[in-house]
Amino acid sequence: MKNGNGLICAYLLKEGAGQPADWDRVKTWTPDQGVLWMHLDYADETVRQWLLNESGLNEVTCSALFAEETRPRIVSSPESLLLILRGVNSNPGADPEDMVSIRMWFDEHRIITMRHRRVLAIEDIRQSIEAGKGPDSADDFLVMIANRLIDRMGDVVSDIDDRADELEDMVLTKESHELRPMIADLRRQTICMRRYIAPQRDVLARLQNERIAWLSETAKVYLRETSERTARFVDDLDAARDRAAITQEQLNNSLSEQTNRTLYILSIITAIFLPLGLLTGLLGINVGGMPGTDSNSAFAIVVALLVVFAIIQYILFKRKKMI
C-alpha cells in the first residue's frame, strides 16, 4: 500500500531490517542515517516534481526514469548507477509476457526504484525486510532485486518449455483447428518475452564489468551468476520458439498430406466415372437412331456393360498401383 502521494514504500535499511519512512522522513534524510530505499510510482505528479526539483538527480537521469517506453539499459558512473530491468507480469488477469519495467537509480547511500504496475519482485524484498532478512547496502539490494526478477521469470520460461513438449505430442492427435491457435499463442509469448530478456541478459553481463565504487566483487560474482541464468532463459526461449516452428511445420505437412490424399481419391473416382459418364451421356441424347430403344432388356445390358467397364478400370489401376 502507498505511504503517501506517489510513495509506495520507503525504508531505512540496516543489517537486513528496515525502518519504514514517509515523505517527511525522506525529505530530512541524511546519509549518516543509513541506506534509504524509496519505491515510487513514476506516474504520480508528486513524484515527478520531487524527482526533478528535490532529489538531486540530473535532468537526463530523470528523463530516463520517466520515459514511457523502456528497454533494459544501464548507465553508470563511479558513484551512481541507472538501471532499467524487466520482470514478468504476475498481476492477476495479466499476461506474463507483458513484462513490467522497474526503473532504478543507486548510489552508495540511496536507492530509488520506480514502477507504475505492481512488481512482485519488489514485494518479495519488502517481505524480506519486514522479516529482518532484507538487504543492508546498495549492492546487496541490487543483487537481490536481480535475483528476484530472474526467479519469477524462471517459472514462466519453464511453463513455456512444458507447453512446447505438449504441443509436440499433440500434433499427431489433436485437431488442427484446436492446435493452430495454441502454437500461435506459444510463439507470440516466446517472441514477446525474448524481446526484453535478451537485452536484459546483455545489461546484466555488462554490469559485472562496470567500475562503480560501492559495487563489491562479491556482488559482481552473484550478478555474474544471475547473468548466466538469464542467458539460459534466452536459450530456452529460442529453443521453444524453434520447436513451435517445427511443430507448426509438422502440422502443415500433416494437413498437406491429408489434402493430397483426399485429392488423389477424388482423382481416382473421377478417372473411373468420367468415361462411364461419357457413355451414359451419349446414350441419353434424345435423337432418332438410338440402339435398343425398342428392346426391353437394353437397359440391363447397358448397366452390365458399364459395371464390367468399371471393374476393368479398377483392375488396371490396381495393377499399376495407382490405388
Side-chain angles (χ1 to χ4, degrees):
M1 297 179 61
K2 290 190 176 182
N3 202 336
N5 291 334
L7 180 63
I8 300 169
C9 66
Y11 292 93
L12 289 173
L13 305 177
K14 187 175 181 181
E15 296 181 355
Q19 298 179 1
D22 55 16
W23 272 120
D24 293 334
R25 186 74 179 272
V26 166
K27 292 179 180 179
T28 59
W29 167 84
T30 55
D32 60 312
Q33 297 175 358
V35 176
L36 174 64
W37 170 39
M38 303 175 60
H39 188 45
L40 308 172
D41 182 354
Y42 66 81
D44 191 275
E45 185 60 28
T46 301
V47 171
R48 182 179 293 271
Q49 293 301 322
W50 177 84
L51 207 65
L52 290 172
N53 302 322
E54 301 180 48
S55 67
L57 274 61
N58 60 54
E59 186 176 351
V60 175
T61 300
C62 292
S63 297
L65 292 173
F66 286 125
E68 289 294 330
E69 294 294 331
T70 60
R71 288 174 62 85
R73 60 177 295 196
I74 177 174
V75 179
S76 67
S77 69
E79 292 79 27
S80 64
L81 171 68
L82 170 65
L83 184 65
I84 298 177
L85 298 178
R86 288 268 179 166
V88 295
N89 193 344
S90 301
N91 295 309
D95 294 328
E97 68 272 14
D98 182 22
M99 303 185 73
V100 294
S101 67
I102 176 75
R103 301 113 186 269
M104 298 175 282
W105 182 87
F106 299 83
D107 67 12
E108 185 176 2
H109 302 289
R110 185 171 55 165
I111 305 166
I112 299 174
T113 61
M114 302 177 65
R115 59 83 166 160
H116 183 52
R117 293 178 291 178
R118 191 164 64 114
V119 181
L120 295 188
I122 292 291
E123 300 300 321
D124 294 340
I125 294 179
R126 291 181 64 179
Q127 293 175 7
S128 298
I129 292 173
E130 292 172 1
K133 300 179 180 179
D136 53 13
S137 61
D139 60 347
D140 196 13
F141 185 96
L142 176 58
V143 170
M144 186 171 289
I145 186 62
N147 280 330
R148 293 295 187 275
L149 289 171
I150 297 303
D151 287 342
R152 291 191 172 274
M153 198 178 296
D155 295 335
V156 177
V157 174
S158 178
D159 179 66
I160 289 176
D161 190 60
D162 292 340
R163 287 170 58 196
D165 289 338
E166 292 176 3
L167 290 175
E168 288 177 338
D169 295 335
M170 292 162 55
V171 70
L172 298 178
T173 59
K174 201 77 170 179
E175 295 292 336
S176 62
H177 67 275
E178 298 177 359
L179 193 56
R180 276 181 160 175
M182 298 170 66
I183 296 175
D185 181 67
L186 179 63
R187 296 181 70 178
R188 177 186 59 81
Q189 189 174 7
T190 55
I191 291 171
C192 290
M193 289 196 65
R194 194 189 188 285
R195 175 187 176 192
Y196 293 110
I197 297 180
Q200 188 151 310
R201 169 199 58 191
D202 300 335
V203 165
L204 293 174
R206 178 182 168 189
L207 185 57
Q208 308 164 37
N209 301 318
E210 294 296 317
R211 295 184 177 180
I212 304 172
W214 47 266
L215 187 59
S216 66
E217 291 300 321
T218 301
K220 289 183 178 181
V221 171
Y222 284 114
L223 290 172
R224 186 178 301 113
E225 177 60 27
T226 303
S227 176
E228 290 294 328
R229 292 177 61 197
T230 308
R232 288 197 297 269
F233 289 157
V234 173
D235 293 339
D236 290 342
L237 288 174
D238 288 339
R241 182 187 59 188
D242 294 340
R243 291 166 63 191
I246 293 173
T247 303
Q248 179 71 60
E249 184 177 346
Q250 290 177 334
L251 178 62
N252 291 338
N253 291 339
S254 178
L255 292 174
S256 178
E257 289 176 3
Q258 292 177 9
T259 302
N260 290 337
R261 283 198 300 268
T262 301
L263 292 176
Y264 184 74
I265 292 172
L266 291 176
S267 299
I268 294 298
I269 293 173
T270 301
I272 292 175
F273 283 94
L274 183 60
L276 300 181
L278 176 62
L279 292 175
T280 55
L282 288 175
L283 295 175
I285 59 177
N286 190 18
V287 296
M290 288 298 298
T293 55
D294 297 328
S295 174
N296 293 329
S297 60
F299 176 75
I301 294 172
V302 170
V303 171
L305 289 174
L306 292 176
V307 171
V308 170
F309 187 73
I311 293 173
I312 292 173
Q313 284 184 299
Y314 177 80
I315 293 173
L316 289 175
F317 288 149
K318 194 72 173 177
R319 287 183 177 179
K320 293 184 177 181
K321 298 181 180 180
M322 297 179 62
I323 56 176

